[in-house]
């Protein structure tokens, strides 16, 4: 039993890549007799819209991917994150950072070879780590609101992903609270997954490189560390990451082209080696056939005829 979840940020309609990942997460949970939870990662109230949450839930329902319990929303859990951040502050594991995003990117230490493991994109070089009281005061008076970073001491974390295998990454002093006061993604996701009792996180492998940070934070906080299964992304026919400009990339687009959700599910299942082309196994049958060992480890390129806006 390893309860699973799907936790999209409702900033846009889900595309076929997101839906295929949700399908795998659902299959992984259901095939082990586990619960499957739905969380709306809607912390960023400027970028998130309830209409996108609604359409995401509709899409999952249309594909037959049911979830257990109520939808959990990050926007309604501020207290949980505040407590966690307070604990980290009390343990002297944080420091304020006054760098702007632009400064961080300019100083990003990616180009320097890491002693061990991969360095996440935009890794923080540690500029504000050693600021003394006078330095902090000077920046405070210039009106810069600080973000809060974790003191990570260059730790290295290695873990075994159920699909990607062994992955090792260096931990930078990543942000746990943004300058606008909102808890950062890496903090919220660790607290949520632990609090919700998630046993396995299944998500796109664009988040693989940030996973060592999350494991490191979970260890520091003494909370449960889930297992991980990172799914290779879906690319458009041109080999670029799937996006709106590729044409018919949402379930609604596909419907408008005359494809039913069951047909789309069968296309996903075929891409995962679970059925023949055009075969339409039931969900129960797909659960029976699901086998992580058979999942492809390469990206899936959306077939040309699916993305084009001309009917099938
Ligand atoms: N909410 C995140 C996103 O939409 C994913 C969270 C996760 O799966 O860890 O990218």
């Amino acid at each position: 039993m390893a309860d699973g979840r799907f936790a999209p940020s409702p900033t846009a309609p889900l595309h076929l890549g997101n839906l295929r990942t949700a399908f795998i997460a659902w299959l992984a949970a259901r095939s082990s007799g586990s619960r499957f939870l739905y969380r709306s990662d809607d912390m960023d109230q400027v970028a998130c819209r309830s209409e996108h949450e609604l359409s995401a839930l509709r899409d999952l329902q249309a594909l037959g991917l049911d979830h257990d319990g109520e939808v959990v929303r990050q926007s309604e859990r501020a207290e949980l994150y505040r407590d966690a951040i307070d604990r980290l502050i009390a343990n002297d594991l944080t420091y304020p950072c006054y760098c702007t995003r632009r400064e961080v990117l300019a100083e990003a230490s990616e180009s320097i070879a890491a002693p061990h493991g991969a360095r996440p994109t935009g890794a923080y070089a540690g500029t504000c780590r050693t600021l003394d009281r006078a330095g902090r005061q000077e920046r405070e008076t210039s009106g810069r609101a600080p973000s809060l970073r974790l003191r990570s001491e260059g730790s290295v974390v290695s873990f075994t992903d159920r699909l990607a295998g062994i992955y090792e990454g260096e931990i930078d002093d990543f942000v746990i609270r943004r300058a606008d006061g909102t808890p950062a993604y890496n903090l919220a996701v660790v607290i949520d997954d632990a609090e919700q009792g998630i046993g396995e996180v299944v998500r796109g492998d664009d988040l693989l490189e940030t996973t060592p940070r999350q494991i490191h934070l979970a260890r520091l906080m003494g909370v449960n560390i889930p297992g991980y299964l990172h799914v290779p992304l879906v690319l458009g026919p041109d080999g670029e990451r799937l996006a709106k400009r590729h044409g018919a990339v949402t379930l609604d687009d596909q419907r408008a082209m005359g494809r039913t959700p069951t047909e789309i599910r069968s296309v996903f299942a075929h891409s995962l080696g679970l059925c023949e082309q055009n075969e339409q196994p039931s969900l129960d049958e797909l659960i029976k056939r699901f086998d992580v060992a058979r999942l492809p480890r390469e990206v899936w390129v959306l077939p040309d005829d699916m993305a084009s806006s001309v009917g099938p």
Side-chain angles (χ1 to χ4, degrees):
M1 292 269 283
D3 286 352
R5 47 75 157 178
F6 183 53
S9 299
T11 53
L14 295 180
H15 60 51
L16 297 172
N18 309 128
L19 290 169
R20 181 172 174 267
T21 301
F23 183 43
I24 301 170
W26 184 89
L27 285 168
R30 296 306 193 208
S31 65
S32 69
S34 304
R35 294 190 313 149
F36 182 67
L37 310 182
Y38 188 97
R39 188 174 75 228
S40 194
D41 282 2
D42 63 348
M43 187 82 75
D44 186 341
Q45 287 284 287
V46 180
C48 295
R49 301 251 147 75
S50 56
E51 75 199 64
H52 297 317
E53 181 187 305
L54 284 174
S55 74
L57 286 163
R58 263 200 316 268
D59 286 356
L60 257 60
Q61 194 182 21
L63 291 170
L65 312 181
D66 60 341
H67 62 91
D68 298 292
E70 299 287 315
V71 172
V72 166
R73 293 186 190 85
Q74 288 191 329
S75 58
E76 295 166 2
R77 293 155 75 84
E79 209 172 312
L80 210 58
Y81 311 129
R82 201 177 317 121
D83 286 351
I85 293 169
D86 285 349
R87 269 199 286 150
L88 292 167
I89 296 173
N91 289 326
D92 202 21
L93 287 165
T94 66
Y95 63 87
C97 167
Y98 300 86
C99 298
T100 60
R101 186 182 288 267
R102 186 182 297 195
E103 285 166 349
V104 172
L105 287 180
E107 288 160 13
S109 48
E110 288 165 82
S111 51
I112 308 165
H116 310 277
R119 195 165 269 178
T121 313
Y124 185 57
T127 319
C128 289
R129 190 191 303 135
T130 51
L131 269 187
D132 57 13
R133 189 183 287 263
R136 279 187 193 155
Q137 229 145 41
E138 188 190 314
R139 283 162 181 80
E140 294 279 351
T141 37
S142 76
R144 279 199 191 182
S147 62
L148 198 64
R149 288 186 182 271
L150 189 75
R151 250 177 230 289
S152 297
E153 317 285 0
S155 310
V156 173
V157 167
S158 157
F159 72 102
T160 304
D161 186 276
R162 201 143 72 105
L163 193 60
I166 295 174
Y167 186 86
E168 186 171 270
E170 194 190 331
I171 319 295
D172 64 330
D173 288 355
F174 60 92
V175 171
I176 57 162
R177 187 178 64 206
R178 295 170 14 174
D180 65 3
T182 11
Y185 157 68
N186 284 307
L187 182 283
V189 76
V190 167
I191 299 301
D192 286 333
D193 287 337
E195 195 276 332
Q196 294 185 280
I198 301 301
E200 182 173 68
V201 167
V202 178
R203 61 188 178 191
D205 71 1
D206 50 333
L207 289 168
L208 184 59
E209 65 166 23
T210 203
T211 307
R213 289 169 167 156
Q214 296 171 12
I215 294 173
H216 179 68
L217 186 57
R219 281 187 190 148
L220 284 179
M221 308 227 45
V223 299
N224 181 57
I225 301 170
Y228 291 95
L229 193 166
H230 285 89
V231 179
L233 294 184
V234 176
L235 306 183
D238 60 356
E240 297 291 325
R241 206 167 147 157
L242 194 64
K244 214 165 159 176
R245 65 188 167 75
H246 286 117
V249 295
T250 67
L251 199 61
D252 282 347
D253 295 340
Q254 292 291 325
R255 274 196 173 116
M257 289 167 65
R259 290 199 185 92
T260 66
T262 310
E263 282 168 338
I264 300 298
R265 201 172 67 207
S266 139
V267 172
F268 289 161
H270 177 60
S271 80
L272 298 171
L274 297 177
C275 69
E276 301 298 325
Q277 195 158 13
N278 299 325
E279 189 192 345
Q280 291 184 4
S282 68
L283 282 167
D284 281 343
E285 178 59 28
L286 288 167
I287 289 172
K288 272 193 223 132
R289 292 185 194 177
F290 183 72
D291 178 5
V292 172
R294 283 171 56 195
L295 286 182
R297 276 144 220 268
E298 313 81 45
V299 293
W300 182 54
V301 180
L302 192 71
D304 230 340
D305 62 328
M306 280 199 72
S308 78
S309 42
V310 188

